[in-house]
Amino acid sequence: MRHHSVIHTPKLSDYQELTRVWEASVRATHDFLPDSYIELLRNLVLTRYLDAVMLICTKDANQRITGFAGVAAGKIEMLFIDPDYRGQGLGKKLLNYAMQHLNADELDVNEQNPQALGFYFKQGFEVIGRSEVDGMGQPYPLLHMRLRQNQQRSSHA
């Protein structure tokens, strides 16, 4: 997995790189979102959303950010992996760190993103609710998920 064993805390100077990873990941997995909406969200990620969460990230051997997660109030608000690094266990590593060290056990996922949904089911999450619209009131339904109770004990062991 090439130097991805350490979880890093990104700095303000990393925000452009985090936003690059966010956009690349969204474009690879959120084919239901129009370009104009991705551009709007990209600006919000850079100027607002990154500041609203506790950030953790993975880096490659060249110290380039390969994935990141953001947590606030026990909820994983974002988890994005650079498409070039998908399938290497980075999402699982970030998710486990967020659950074990940041006490996160809930998240929302776009209903139209089957890859992410499958990933979270595999990691022990279950759907506990649904919203017809996303956080901006747009027609992109969200599924509200929580780590299953029996998973919480085993993941913290």
Side-chain angles (χ1 to χ4, degrees):
M1 209 172 13
R2 302 190 315 249
H3 297 278
H4 283 105
S5 59
V6 177
I7 297 290
H8 301 270
T9 302
K11 302 184 261 324
L12 186 60
S13 59
D14 293 320
Y15 279 20
Q16 288 287 345
E17 184 69 6
L18 293 169
T19 304
R20 182 203 61 79
V21 170
W22 175 87
E23 183 174 3
S25 179
V26 166
R27 290 193 183 279
T29 58
H30 293 63
D31 57 1
F32 54 92
L33 294 177
D35 271 355
S36 59
Y37 196 53
I38 292 173
E39 307 233 350
L40 171 70
L41 290 173
R42 179 181 58 214
N43 184 49
L44 290 171
V45 166
L46 182 61
T47 62
R48 288 197 200 155
Y49 296 165
L50 294 175
D51 278 334
V53 295
M54 172 172 276
L55 292 164
I56 55 175
C57 70
T58 53
K59 295 181 178 182
D60 66 12
N62 298 316
Q63 295 302 300
R64 184 175 162 110
I65 294 172
T66 54
F68 74 95
V71 175
K75 187 173 181 183
I76 298 162
E77 295 288 352
M78 51 184 81
L79 195 159
F80 295 96
I81 305 299
D82 185 311
D84 293 340
Y85 292 88
R86 289 181 59 196
Q88 296 183 22
L90 301 180
K92 186 174 182 178
K93 180 178 294 296
L94 287 163
L95 183 67
N96 285 336
Y97 188 94
M99 292 185 303
Q100 293 172 8
H101 300 283
L102 306 177
N103 299 314
D105 65 356
E106 292 189 7
L107 56 90
D108 291 340
V109 63
N110 285 104
E111 186 176 64
Q112 296 157 289
N113 185 350
Q115 294 174 42
L117 193 55
F119 169 76
Y120 292 123
F121 279 137
K122 188 175 177 185
Q123 303 308 315
F125 282 77
E126 62 186 347
V127 175
I128 58 169
R130 181 180 186 275
S131 298
E132 284 291 325
V133 295
D134 68 7
M136 302 258 304
Q138 297 302 304
Y140 306 111
L142 294 176
L143 296 176
H144 311 297
M145 303 185 83
R146 181 183 308 139
L147 191 62
R148 283 194 297 271
Q149 287 301 104
N150 61 343
Q151 295 290 116
Q152 288 182 0
R153 284 187 288 282
S154 62
S155 71
H156 294 309

